[in-house]
Amino acid sequence: MDSFAHIKVILGILLGLSIRQLLNGAIKLVQHPDRNPFYWVHFTWSFYVFLLMVHFWWWEWHLTKIQHWFFPEYFFVIMYIIVYYVICALLYPDDLKDYSGFRDYFYSRKKWFFGLLGASYVLDVVDTLIKGVDYFRHFGPEYPIRNAVHFILCMIAMRTNNPRFHGTLVIVFLVYEVSYILRLFINP
C-alpha cells in the first residue's frame, strides 16, 4: 500500500463522520420540524460546509503527488479534517434545550463557527503548499486572495449579530464556492 492510500483511509473516515453529522442534523429538521425552529441562514451554512468538504475530498487527490510522507504532514492533514468535523458538530449539537431554536443557537456559537471556518482557509493554504509551491502557484492570484478575503469576512462575522449580514455572507460564500469549483474542475 502506498503512503497516500494509507493516509486517505483516516481522512475518509473523518470526512465521513463530518458529513454524517451534517446529514443527521438536516434529517432531524425534517423528522421533527416543530422541535427546533428552522433558520435558513444556519441551514445554508450547513449546505456550504457540506460543499466545502466535498471540495476538500476532491482537492486532496493532489496529495498523491507527494512521494515521501512524514509524520508532520500526515498529522497536519488529519488536524485539518478535524477542523471540519468540529465545524459540523457545532452546526448540529446533540440538543438545543438551552436555545429557542437554530437561530438563537447559531448566533450564540458564531464566534466558534466563524473562528474555525476562518482557520480552515488558513489551513487550506498550508495544505496546498504541502503539495508543492508549483502546485500553489498554478492557481494564480485568485487562490490566496480568495482565502484571505474569506478569512477576513469570517473574522468580521464573528463580531456581528446582524442577520442581514449573515444572510448575505452565506449566499455570497455559497455562490462564490460553486463558481470556484466549476471554474477549477469543469474547464481546467
Side-chain angles (χ1 to χ4, degrees), residues 10-78:
I10 191 72
L11 290 179
I13 290 168
L14 291 168
L15 185 70
L17 289 170
S18 302
I19 290 174
R20 180 187 179 279
Q21 183 77 19
L22 285 180
L23 293 176
N24 277 351
I27 289 167
K28 284 180 186 175
L29 288 172
V30 174
Q31 291 172 336
H32 307 287
D34 297 329
R35 192 173 291 171
N36 295 303
F38 175 83
Y39 181 46
W40 75 271
V41 171
H42 167 267
F43 188 78
T44 308
W45 277 117
S46 300
F47 181 73
Y48 174 76
V49 170
F50 171 78
L51 186 61
L52 278 182
M53 288 187 304
V54 171
H55 185 188
F56 168 88
W57 190 244
W58 189 259
W59 190 265
E60 292 309 277
W61 172 255
H62 295 285
L63 289 173
T64 59
K65 297 177 185 199
I66 298 173
Q67 297 297 318
H68 301 287
W69 278 86
F70 298 98
F71 188 80
E73 291 89 358
Y74 167 69
F75 185 74
F76 172 82
V77 173
I78 288 173

Side-chain angles (χ1 to χ4, degrees), residues 7 46 69 89 99 105 108 125:
I7 291 164
S46 300
W69 278 86
Y99 305 94
Y105 174 77
S108 76
V125 170

